[in-house]
Amino acid sequence: MKVALLGCGQMGRAAAYALATDPGTEELLLLDRDPGQAAALRDWLQDGGGTGNRPAATVRATGGLDSALTGCEVVAMAMPWAPTDEALHAAVGAGRPVAAITRPPTAELSLLDTRIRSAGGTVLLPVGLEPGLTELLAVHLAQRLDRVHSLEIYCGGIPTEPREPLGYTAFFGGENDHHLPIAQREALALDRGRPVHHPRFSGVVTREYAGVGRLEAYHDGMAPWLGEHPALRDADCTQKTLRWPGFARVVTELARLGLLADDPVDVDGSRVVPRRLVERVLSPQVRATADDRDAVVLDLTAHGELDGRPASLRTTVVDIADETTGLSAMARTTGFTMAAATRLLAERAVTGTGWIKPHLALSQELTERVMQSLTGRGVTWLPAHEVAEAERPHL
């Protein structure tokens, strides 16, 4: 396959590594708004991506979107939504199927499918870790039960070693360099298939993971389209974010003090948004250094009925940053997933017109192919398995 990858940041770097080392890739074209970043990624890949093994694929940095689209069969996008949305129009117009990691803004969801479908395009998104892998594995569990009563999702990226002041490390910069996951908002959940909301950072529980440690989880919402799958339409579904213990308590206390408010206040004649000030003060303290490493944990349990009896099925994904390639766990689980989805598009294993939601489009067989591509690169996955009552992680 001939692939154009748009976006050569950390997520794009992991996707590029997976695509360049995929035996099915003949040519990989790299494009970034910073040509130097695309060229540096090309050089890194041609040198073996830290492994010393040069890829069989031809890797080129290209200078413009038109040339990238002309030379490819399928497009992968690892960019924020605004440039993704802009590039979608060009890719769809050129007749190229697209896989992308970015979650569209809620306000644009209702028109997204209509716009893509009217142009005759095929766009598979979002297909990273979250959203993406979370929904695929939710269906991986749900379809193995005769009926699903509830689904619990825990997902998070954390530093392998917590550090002050939050036990949190920001591994990604760019446009979000001074944004931290501390905004106060409502978190979506499903109650028998109907949308409900919980305060973000509420419902804190602790979870223990071998090789990682004891973490906490709090309400943090989910993809609003999760419940569209027939196996989950009548289920209770909750998604919580994993962090080192204490994160939710500190953020809740900052909010109680008014320090996370979004309404500006007067400070000596200047209008200041408290949350943005807190983020500016904290972000340098939590920014990742060259020595920091991260871990990703994705943990899902579905409760329901199987063969006329109560049953619970669980699946987990755990990954640690790779010191050989320098790829973070978050970049690996996100970029590798998109790379696997890109190959499915190139093979026409996933087809259709419009906005294609991965958990609705991929069969169990295709989901397992995605997971096999991840495990082949060192990501640990424990497929669906039944758990006893004592092991069931209830909210």
Side-chain angles (χ1 to χ4, degrees), residues 220-246:
D220 204 12
M222 61 177 62
W225 49 83
L226 175 65
E228 294 178 14
H229 194 281
L232 295 170
R233 281 179 182 160
D234 298 319
D236 297 338
C237 300
T238 304
Q239 183 165 322
K240 294 189 175 185
T241 288
L242 292 164
R243 294 281 184 256
W244 287 109

Side-chain angles (χ1 to χ4, degrees), residues 10-19 21-22 44 101 127-129 133 319-320 322 325 327-343 369-371 373-379:
Q10 295 191 54
M11 301 302 177
R13 189 179 187 87
Y17 177 81
L19 289 166
T21 55
D22 186 323
W44 178 74
I101 64 171
V127 61
L129 169 65
L133 212 54
D319 193 44
I320 305 294
D322 181 8
T325 61
L327 296 173
S328 70
M330 184 63 71
R332 282 164 49 88
T333 50
T334 301
F336 291 177
T337 301
M338 182 178 69
T342 301
R343 179 164 187 172
R369 280 189 56 187
V370 170
M371 296 311 302
S373 71
L374 269 67
T375 57
R377 299 182 184 280
V379 177

Side-chain angles (χ1 to χ4, degrees), residues 277-356:
L277 176 61
V278 169
E279 289 179 328
R280 285 280 177 167
V281 172
L282 288 177
S283 58
Q285 302 179 57
V286 301
R287 191 170 298 129
T289 68
D291 296 328
D292 286 314
R293 298 289 181 270
D294 72 328
V296 161
V297 177
L298 175 56
D299 176 13
L300 303 91
T301 302
H303 308 281
E305 299 171 14
L306 181 63
D307 298 330
R309 60 179 176 81
S312 294
L313 299 180
R314 187 179 183 187
T315 184
T316 56
V317 174
V318 178
D319 193 44
I320 305 294
D322 181 8
E323 295 189 11
T324 300
T325 61
L327 296 173
S328 70
M330 184 63 71
R332 282 164 49 88
T333 50
T334 301
F336 291 177
T337 301
M338 182 178 69
T342 301
R343 179 164 187 172
L344 295 180
L345 283 175
E347 295 175 352
R348 301 297 187 263
V350 176
T351 59
T353 302
W355 170 26
I356 301 175

Side-chain angles (χ1 to χ4, degrees), residues 26-337:
E26 178 184 349
E27 186 171 15
L28 176 61
L29 304 174
L30 305 174
L31 179 65
D32 193 89
R33 62 183 179 182
D34 177 358
Q37 185 157 266
L41 178 54
R42 174 203 60 204
D43 295 344
W44 178 74
L45 291 170
Q46 289 178 338
D47 288 340
T51 67
N53 299 318
R54 295 174 61 87
T58 299
V59 181
R60 295 194 292 113
T62 183
L65 182 56
D66 288 343
S67 62
L69 295 176
T70 300
C72 76
E73 301 165 341
V74 63
V75 181
M77 299 185 184
M79 305 180 293
W81 177 249
T84 295
D85 191 28
E86 181 179 349
L88 282 178
H89 293 285
V92 167
R96 304 296 187 264
V98 176
I101 64 171
T102 308
R103 175 175 176 165
T106 301
E108 299 189 29
L109 295 180
S110 61
L111 294 178
L112 184 60
D113 181 65
T114 300
R115 290 194 295 112
I116 298 171
R117 188 178 298 275
S118 63
T122 300
V123 177
L124 183 68
L125 67 79
V127 61
L129 169 65
E130 193 285 315
L133 212 54
T134 47
E135 295 79 42
L136 288 176
L137 291 183
V139 173
H140 168 77
L141 291 181
Q143 290 188 322
R144 283 168 166 76
L145 292 171
D146 297 328
R147 184 179 179 188
V148 180
H149 298 310
S150 64
L151 171 71
E152 302 161 8
I153 304 173
Y154 301 90
C155 183
I158 58 169
T160 53
E161 296 293 335
R163 75 173 195 230
E164 295 294 338
L166 298 175
Y168 169 80
T169 301
F171 285 89
F172 311 108
E175 296 186 6
N176 295 317
D177 196 29
H178 297 289
H179 289 255
L180 299 178
I182 59 176
Q184 303 298 291
R185 56 170 172 76
E186 293 294 293
L188 174 67
L190 297 178
D191 181 357
R192 298 181 183 179
R194 297 185 301 272
V196 295
H197 294 86
H198 302 284
R200 191 185 189 191
F201 304 108
S202 67
V204 177
V205 296
T206 58
R207 308 283 294 126
E208 191 80 33
Y209 296 100
V212 177
R214 175 168 293 184
L215 305 178
E216 71 176 20
Y218 53 80
H219 285 300
D220 204 12
M222 61 177 62
W225 49 83
L226 175 65
E228 294 178 14
H229 194 281
L232 295 170
R233 281 179 182 160
D234 298 319
D236 297 338
C237 300
T238 304
Q239 183 165 322
K240 294 189 175 185
T241 288
L242 292 164
R243 294 281 184 256
W244 287 109
F247 183 87
R249 176 182 55 79
V250 171
V251 173
T252 300
E253 186 64 15
L254 288 172
R256 188 186 70 81
L257 294 171
L259 294 174
L260 299 184
D262 286 318
D263 294 329
V265 298
D266 183 270
V267 180
D268 298 333
S270 298
R271 302 293 287 172
V272 178
V273 176
R275 179 173 63 85
R276 299 298 292 123
L277 176 61
V278 169
E279 289 179 328
R280 285 280 177 167
V281 172
L282 288 177
S283 58
Q285 302 179 57
V286 301
R287 191 170 298 129
T289 68
D291 296 328
D292 286 314
R293 298 289 181 270
D294 72 328
V296 161
V297 177
L298 175 56
D299 176 13
L300 303 91
T301 302
H303 308 281
E305 299 171 14
L306 181 63
D307 298 330
R309 60 179 176 81
S312 294
L313 299 180
R314 187 179 183 187
T315 184
T316 56
V317 174
V318 178
D319 193 44
I320 305 294
D322 181 8
E323 295 189 11
T324 300
T325 61
L327 296 173
S328 70
M330 184 63 71
R332 282 164 49 88
T333 50
T334 301
F336 291 177
T337 301

